[in-house]
Amino acid sequence: MINWITVESNSIRKVGYNETKNELYVDMGQRQPYCVFSEVSKYAFYHFASAESVEDHFNSHIKSVYSQVIV
């Protein structure tokens, strides 16, 4: 089950986390439903979701660190 959190960002609408699979979901409101990143800890997810700038945190600590899963 994916637990979604709405975030304040110009480019990211909401983020979700599947604790069973350790997957992070990022909904950017574009054509594809969302991006999925694997092997993300619950701590990393909550740190990302509560970041002062979700977009900056995504670019610095998620996109460049974790592997994106093709859905």
Side-chain angles (χ1 to χ4, degrees), residues 8 47-48 50-54 57:
E8 289 191 33
H47 193 67
F48 168 47
S50 63
E52 187 173 323
S53 172
V54 174
H57 190 90

Side-chain angles (χ1 to χ4, degrees), residues 6-49:
T6 303
V7 294
E8 289 191 33
S9 170
N10 291 331
S11 63
I12 299 172
R13 290 187 340 175
K14 58 186 177 178
V15 296
Y17 187 71
N18 184 327
E19 192 170 337
T20 305
K21 296 182 177 183
N22 291 333
E23 290 180 336
L24 167 67
Y25 299 79
V26 181
D27 181 347
M28 298 198 179
Q30 298 172 353
R31 290 184 186 169
Q32 69 182 57
Y34 46 75
C35 301
V36 181
F37 295 87
S38 61
E39 299 182 28
V40 179
S41 70
K42 188 189 314 186
Y43 172 81
F45 166 69
Y46 284 115
H47 193 67
F48 168 47

